Every structure is written in structure tokens, then in C-alpha cells.
Amino acid sequence: MEWEDRALRRAEGLALRAQSERFSRVGWALFAYVVSSLLVQVAAVAAAMLLRPELLNELWFLWVMSAVSSYAVGFVLFAVIIRRSPRAEPLPRRPAGPLKLGQFYLVSMAALYVGNIISLLLNGLIGLIKGSPVENPVDTLLDFPVALNLILVCVLAPLFEELMFRRLLLDRLRPYGERFALIGSALMFALIHGNFSQMFYAFGIGLVLGWLVLKTGCLWQSVLIHAGINFISAGLLPLLEPLGEAGDAILAAFALGGTVLGIVFFFAYRRDVRPARGTCEYSEGRKWRLLFENPGMVLFCLVVIYEVVVVIAAT
């Protein structure tokens, strides 16, 4: 019987190693996205400084650099690496109707503004400790012309980010259970932003959009809501800004009303959330250890920590 026990332990060890390698590939994909994007931007800046330094003052050049590094390079590497991992079967398509989709949008709004409040409080505390305010990296995006900003924030970002996190990543995590896949994909979506100004609301929105995809099987609906959420800062804010105080009042009423309704809908429908079990019968603790205790994910988390520290120390 002793040899049977050894064989069983060996088989369990090999199975755990295979699962760890699968999660490590997820970490390597995320790591490749972040690092390749940064390297492309550094290379573009270095080339411009050598050849045409005036390009660094051109908004269109900075816009192209941002779009190409994130979506033409980073996304492609992410997709190539993660597609080698097994994925769950496609979800059945049950598109949400306009009313339900509107409710999901309002819940996403609530996640946006509640998460933003948490970010402001945390950044304010960090600012007090270090003696200077922590800047929000998103503010630099608003320097782009409105048309370019709308393309970047309301078209490219929703499309590629939903493909990354609510399709490629979510499908790789679903075999471990929908609850784990939902939280894990939302957490990775938050971490990849690399700053406290976006992490908290990105996590909340990632939960809402992930559940929408699990419920409907329709990625285009999560892309639509993602674009609508981003439109608040990229489109609605510039439209209302010329109105001065009246515009501020309209935006405040919109934000408050949407947040209150979103919270109401969240509590009204939260009991309907019944995540399906996965095919892998590991404990929740074992799943999270497998997710994070591997080389790929460790390196990704170290890069995220580096980005957060750089943002905090920038002022």
C-alpha cells in the first residue's frame, strides 16, 4: 500500500504543478502586456529625442504611442501567450434586454463613483504622509483632443480590455468556478491599471462587467457598458465644462442619481448572482495560492508594485 500512497501523492503533485504552470502563463501574459507597452513607449521617446525631439510636444504623437504600445503590441503579446492555456466551453448567448442593460450600466456607475471615493481617500492619506498630493495619471489623458480621446477611451480601450479580461482571461479561469473567475479577472483588471486612482473602481466595474458576460455570454454588451462608463470622463465632462458651474451641477446630479440607482439595483439583484461551480475541485484557498504562487504572477505583481510606487513618488 505504501507504493500506492507514493504514486497517489506523486500524481497529485504533478496535477498541482500543471495547474500552477497554467496560472503562471496567465501571469506571464499580463507581465508581457505591461512590460512590452512600457518598452515600446520608452523606445518611441528615445527615437523621437534622437531624430525629431519636437514630436514629444505633439499630442497626436503621444496618442499614437499610447494606442500602439497598449493595443498593437501589448494586447497581441497577451493574447498569443494566454491562448496556449486551456479554456472553458463558450457560454450560451442570452443577451440582456435594453432595460436590464441600463440597470447594469447604473450598477457600473455606482462601482465607478464608490471606488473613486475610496481612491480619493487613500490618495489623500498617502499625500498627507508624504507631504505632497498624489496625481491621477488619468488626468494626462484629458490633454488629448476630444476626438482622439473618445477614440482611445471609448472605442479602443473598451474593445481590447473586454477581450482581454472578460473573454481571454475569464474563459481561462471559469474551469475553477465562476466566483473565482469573476473575482480573479476583476482583480487582474484592477492591478493592470498600476495606480491607486483607478484600481478600486476598476475592480468594482470588472465585477459588474464580468457578471454581465457570465450571465449573457455576450461580450459586445460589456464593451458597450465599458464605453458608456468611459464616456463620462472623455465625452460628457468636456461637453459640460464650457457651462461652468451649471455644467458642474448637471454632472454632480447625473453622478449622484446614477450612483444611488445603481446601489438600489445592486441590492435588488445581488441574490440572483449564483455562480456555477467549476470542474476543478480545489478549495478556494488552494485556487488563490495557485493563482499567485508562480513565477509569472509574481513578476507581474512586482511590476504593478513598481508602477504604483512610481506614481506615488512622482510628485
Side-chain angles (χ1 to χ4, degrees):
M1 296 296 294
E2 184 177 350
W3 68 269
E4 291 181 352
D5 291 339
R6 287 201 301 268
L8 180 60
R9 287 195 298 270
R10 178 176 175 79
E12 291 176 349
L14 290 174
L16 286 174
R17 184 179 300 176
Q19 299 297 333
S20 179
E21 290 175 355
R22 178 184 296 186
F23 283 122
S24 189
R25 187 172 287 113
V26 171
W28 283 117
L30 293 165
F31 174 80
Y33 173 86
V34 175
V35 173
S36 65
S37 299
L38 291 173
L39 290 177
V40 168
Q41 292 180 25
V42 169
V45 170
M49 290 178 65
L50 287 173
L51 301 175
R52 293 185 60 187
E54 66 274 12
L55 285 178
L56 297 178
N57 297 319
E58 297 287 346
L59 291 178
W60 68 265
F61 174 77
L62 299 177
W63 185 92
V64 170
M65 182 177 67
S66 177
V68 169
S69 63
S70 295
Y71 306 125
V73 177
F75 171 79
V76 171
L77 285 176
F78 174 88
V80 168
I81 294 172
I82 203 171
R83 283 176 69 88
R84 299 176 184 175
S85 295
R87 66 185 181 93
E89 291 296 319
L91 292 162
R93 293 176 59 84
R94 299 182 296 267
L99 180 60
K100 183 66 72 174
L101 205 58
Q103 293 170 353
F104 269 99
Y105 179 75
L106 291 171
V107 176
S108 297
M109 274 189 63
L112 169 67
Y113 286 108
V114 171
N116 195 47
I117 290 172
I118 296 173
S119 297
L120 290 173
L121 291 174
L122 179 58
N123 282 336
L125 178 60
I126 294 173
L128 286 176
I129 293 172
K130 76 187 197 74
S132 60
V134 178
E135 292 186 359
N136 186 348
V138 179
D139 292 341
T140 59
L141 289 176
L142 301 180
D143 292 334
F144 292 135
V146 173
L148 291 179
N149 214 21
L150 285 172
I151 294 172
L152 181 65
V153 175
C154 297
V155 179
L156 297 179
L159 177 60
F160 285 101
E161 289 176 5
E162 291 307 302
L163 280 170
M164 285 177 64
F165 295 97
R166 258 65 72 178
R167 177 66 76 222
L168 294 172
L169 180 57
L170 191 68
D171 284 352
R172 268 74 188 173
L173 299 182
R174 279 199 292 119
Y176 302 89
E178 288 186 351
R179 183 189 301 276
F180 176 79
L182 184 62
I183 298 173
S185 61
L187 181 58
M188 297 304 109
F189 180 57
L191 291 176
I192 211 163
H193 285 81
N195 63 82
F196 287 148
S197 297
Q198 295 175 280
M199 279 186 182
F200 296 98
Y201 67 69
F203 178 72
I205 292 172
L207 289 175
V208 178
L209 296 181
W211 178 243
L212 174 63
V213 170
L214 290 175
K215 188 177 180 66
T216 66
C218 296
L219 188 71
W220 69 267
Q221 294 196 320
S222 71
V223 172
L224 186 63
I225 290 183
H226 193 153
I229 290 296
N230 286 357
F231 179 78
I232 295 174
S233 61
L236 184 60
L237 186 61
L239 286 173
L240 295 177
E241 192 171 13
L243 300 179
E245 293 184 359
D248 293 340
I250 293 171
L251 183 62
F254 174 76
L256 179 60
T259 300
V260 170
L261 287 174
I263 292 173
V264 170
F265 286 127
F266 169 76
F267 282 105
Y269 294 113
R270 65 188 176 92
R271 293 183 180 179
D272 294 338
V273 180
R274 296 185 178 89
R277 296 180 61 87
T279 56
C280 295
E281 296 297 329
Y282 292 118
S283 67
E284 291 300 311
R286 172 73 74 177
K287 293 174 187 176
W288 289 107
R289 288 184 61 186
L290 286 170
L291 177 61
F292 284 102
E293 293 181 0
N294 57 75
M297 196 61 70
V298 168
L299 279 176
F300 168 65
C301 290
L302 288 175
V303 170
V304 171
I305 293 171
Y306 169 77
E307 289 185 312
V308 170
V309 170
V310 168
V311 171
I312 292 175
T315 53

